Amino acid sequence: MINVISDKTIGRLSQYRRMLLQLKQQGVKHLFSHQLGDATGLTAAQVRRDLMVIGFTGSPSKGYHVEELCNKITNFLDGHEHQLGAICGIGNLGRAIMGYFPGRKSSVDIVAAFDVDQAKVGRVIVGRRCYHIDEMETICRQMNISVGIITTPADTAQAVAEQLVRGNVKGILNFAPVVLKLPKDVYVQNMDVSMVLEIVAFFSGQKK
Amino acid sequence: MINVISDKTIGRLSQYRRMLLQLKQQGVKHLFSHQLGDATGLTAAQVRRDLMVIGFTGSPSKGYHVEELCNKITNFLDGHEHQLGAICGIGNLGRAIMGYFPGRKSSVDIVAAFDVDQAKVGRVIVGRRCYHIDEMETICRQMNISVGIITTPADTAQAVAEQLVRGNVKGILNFAPVVLKLPKDVYVQNMDVSMVLEIVAFFSGQKK
DNA sequence: GTCGAGCTGTTATATAATTCACAGAGTGAT
DNA sequence: ATCACTCTGTGAATTATATAACAGCTCGAC
């Protein structure tokens, strides 16, 4: 693959799809790039550019066919098969994320949960069976889980990440505020809430 | 201000500070740019460039003085006064965020919570008094809250955001997967978990 | 039919962000 | 004292990302 696609483009495609699914439900058949742009907070040029990357093409008169575009994006994002995911750390955040996805069409199905707390192990929480952290490697391999979500405290995140990697997980979404040191063939995306909150605070202060 | 500072730089400064606080606790007095880089997953050049922006300078022989740098960043980020924040929507996510901050030194103090659920109103949840959403404007003005965190479902996020703005809030951290339409003097940062998860899924798929 | 309006696809341009590269300076060994 | 080493601070080069610009097409009005 000579032209690597950027994570930003992937993110926007995901947003387009979400919006398109909504519009489809509302019975919208076609739309123009500037409409999709307005709906997602982006410019029309950006939208056209992104659709170019996945090779989708609309007509100048009607714009883009909602359903076709939706399918095209889905094919592109999901590739061939769906990914399976696991949540590590069933605190409030873990539960929030689990509760967030059932309804939503997404390219990841969260199928398992892990925690150290023996009181949670064996139970079914927000629809997913909960296992002990020590079983992670085995279960991940058994279920063929490829995406891990880390919602544990910072001090255990690295150990948990390493177990995920041993379980053959290829991508990690990390909410713990630590830099994970992992083999470079594992894709890591950090979501550092406190960092982002500080960004907001900074710019709020400017806007006096 | 001719040279506007980017949100990415602010984010990294916040990361540096967190790491420096930790190191200070461990008794570390000095460090070099490449060490701070390793600790935060960034390059040494990036670190030096960021510190240049805030006008901090180290010595070639000793590197940077941990405590001084820490203070310098804090002064820069917090500006003059601390910001006060409010959480809107006390589901699992809201609670997770509230639970996340008490221990942590941050430039935002979360001092209030809002929800529609009458069962929560009036109670104290994770250390913050909970008010009804309708009181938002009044309370925000009374307490001089300048940062809002939206953790409500998507369909109410816009209305909540507008109320925050009426309450004179200047910055919003939005977890709902919608594009908020607000006056441009309000700083908005979106954290779209499902989008980021799809990014991770995509690159996990690539790494077969 | 012919014209005008408004859109797409794509190239060109502009802007932002990161990395490189190196002069200058302090330090320790000899 | 001198040299070799390794770091910082910063301009220059590079890379990534977003915006602008426009040719070409399609359709509806006349």
Side-chain angles (χ1 to χ4, degrees):
Chain A
M1 203 179 294
I2 198 159
N3 204 4
V4 188
I5 192 163
S6 86
D7 57 346
K8 309 210 179 203
T9 303
I10 302 294
R12 285 190 300 262
L13 286 170
S14 155
Q15 290 185 274
Y16 299 149
R17 175 167 62 172
R18 180 165 54 212
M19 188 49 64
L20 290 166
L21 282 167
Q22 245 179 65
L23 292 169
K24 202 173 76 175
Q25 294 251 301
Q26 290 166 23
V28 180
K29 296 288 181 217
H30 297 267
L31 49 40
F32 297 117
S33 62
H34 65 265
Q35 298 175 301
L36 189 49
D38 286 350
T40 50
L42 301 162
T43 66
Q46 182 76 76
V47 172
R48 293 206 298 277
R49 190 52 120 63
D50 288 333
L51 300 195
M52 200 177 107
V53 193
I54 62 169
F56 189 82
T57 153
S59 92
S61 43
K62 305 250 178 180
Y64 303 99
H65 189 280
V66 173
E67 189 164 354
E68 279 177 19
L69 176 51
C70 211
N71 292 337
K72 183 87 178 188
I73 295 178
T74 295
N75 282 337
F76 183 83
L77 287 185
D78 295 1
H80 344 289
E81 67 265 61
H82 249 232
Q83 309 285 325
L84 302 183
I87 297 242
C88 311
I90 315 179
N92 280 314
L93 183 55
R95 263 187 285 257
I97 293 172
M98 284 194 277
Y100 190 72
F101 284 102
R104 217 161 274 288
K105 197 169 196 169
S106 164
S107 38
V108 186
D109 282 338
I110 298 171
V111 294
F114 297 96
D115 205 292
V116 278
D117 185 352
Q118 286 292 354
K120 289 171 188 155
V121 173
R123 290 178 48 207
V124 174
I125 297 179
V126 200
R128 282 80 168 191
R129 179 155 295 278
C130 179
Y131 303 92
H132 192 271
I133 288 230
D134 292 340
E135 301 176 89
M136 201 181 288
E137 182 179 347
T138 320
I139 303 279
C140 284
R141 286 186 177 274
Q142 258 174 31
M143 298 184 109
N144 198 29
I145 287 170
S146 56
V147 176
I149 303 171
I150 298 181
T151 53
T152 65
D155 53 354
T156 52
Q158 175 67 34
V160 166
E162 286 169 12
Q163 275 204 271
L164 283 170
V165 171
R166 279 197 292 276
N168 205 34
V169 161
K170 290 300 177 198
I172 292 179
L173 174 53
N174 173 39
F175 283 87
V178 280
V179 180
L180 300 175
K181 311 273 187 193
L182 298 174
K184 67 238 148 292
D185 70 320
V186 177
Y187 181 85
V188 177
Q189 185 78 234
N190 294 299
M191 279 208 115
D192 189 330
V193 177
S194 85
M195 185 191 89
V196 177
L197 186 56
E198 296 212 327
I199 295 175
V200 175
F202 180 82
F203 289 105
S204 304
Q206 304 284 84
K207 306 240 166 142
K208 260 297 146 57
Chain B
M1 203 180 293
I2 198 159
N3 204 4
V4 187
I5 193 163
S6 85
D7 57 347
K8 307 205 183 207
T9 303
I10 302 295
R12 285 190 301 261
L13 287 170
S14 155
Q15 289 185 274
Y16 299 149
R17 175 166 63 171
R18 180 164 57 211
M19 188 50 63
L20 290 166
L21 283 168
Q22 243 179 66
L23 292 169
K24 201 173 77 177
Q25 294 251 299
Q26 290 166 23
V28 180
K29 297 286 182 220
H30 297 268
L31 50 39
F32 296 116
S33 62
H34 65 265
Q35 298 174 302
L36 189 49
D38 286 350
T40 50
L42 300 163
T43 66
Q46 182 77 78
V47 172
R48 293 205 298 275
R49 184 141 293 263
D50 288 333
L51 299 195
M52 202 177 108
V53 199
I54 62 169
F56 189 81
T57 153
S59 91
S61 43
K62 306 248 179 182
Y64 303 99
H65 188 281
V66 172
E67 189 163 354
E68 278 177 20
L69 176 50
C70 211
N71 292 339
K72 182 88 179 188
I73 294 178
T74 295
N75 282 338
F76 183 82
L77 287 185
D78 296 0
H80 343 288
E81 69 265 60
H82 250 232
Q83 309 285 325
L84 301 184
I87 297 245
C88 312
I90 316 178
N92 279 314
L93 183 55
R95 262 188 285 257
I97 293 172
M98 283 194 276
Y100 190 74
F101 284 102
R104 217 161 274 288
K105 197 169 197 169
S106 165
S107 37
V108 186
D109 282 338
I110 298 170
V111 294
F114 297 98
D115 205 291
V116 278
D117 185 353
Q118 287 292 354
K120 289 171 188 156
V121 173
R123 290 178 48 206
V124 173
I125 297 180
V126 199
R128 282 82 168 189
R129 180 155 296 280
C130 179
Y131 303 92
H132 191 270
I133 288 229
D134 293 340
E135 300 177 90
M136 201 180 290
E137 180 178 347
T138 320
I139 303 279
C140 284
R141 287 186 177 274
Q142 258 175 31
M143 297 183 110
N144 197 30
I145 287 170
S146 56
V147 175
I149 304 172
I150 299 181
T151 54
T152 65
D155 53 353
T156 52
Q158 175 66 35
V160 165
E162 285 168 14
Q163 275 202 270
L164 283 171
V165 172
R166 277 197 293 275
N168 205 33
V169 161
K170 290 301 177 198
I172 292 178
L173 175 52
N174 173 38
F175 283 87
V178 280
V179 179
L180 300 176
K181 311 274 186 191
L182 297 174
K184 67 237 148 295
D185 71 321
V186 176
Y187 181 84
V188 177
Q189 184 77 236
N190 294 300
M191 280 209 114
D192 188 331
V193 177
S194 84
M195 186 191 89
V196 176
L197 186 56
E198 296 213 325
I199 294 175
V200 175
F202 180 81
F203 289 104
S204 303
Q206 303 285 84
K207 306 240 166 145
K208 259 300 144 56

